[in-house]
Amino acid sequence: MRLEVDRERCVGAGMCVLTAPEVFAQDEEDGRVRLLDRDPAEIGDAVQLCPAAAITANA
């Protein structure tokens, strides 16, 4: 699975970090998502839980 994040769309809610902290982090300056792993084995419900739909996953 290949992940992409749209930092401009991100609202900094942090649901992705709570769901998959090994894959996502929040930027300390602006609170927006930072992608730590583009090809993770598992991301749980992070894509579905993102309130801004800033995360996309492609097979």
Side-chain angles (χ1 to χ4, degrees):
M1 172 180 325
R2 181 116 175 120
L3 294 177
E4 298 291 331
V5 296
D6 183 345
R7 286 183 42 83
E8 294 302 315
R9 179 174 243 175
C10 178
V11 296
M15 295 305 297
C16 56
V17 178
L18 292 172
T19 304
E22 64 284 346
V23 179
F24 303 100
Q26 281 185 282
D27 189 288
E28 290 183 19
E29 289 185 25
D30 63 13
R32 293 182 191 175
V33 65
R34 284 190 311 117
L35 191 55
L36 302 176
D37 184 355
R38 255 186 218 290
D39 296 306
E42 188 175 321
I43 58 167
D45 295 327
V47 174
Q48 291 82 16
L49 291 176
C50 179
I55 305 167
T56 55
N58 301 308

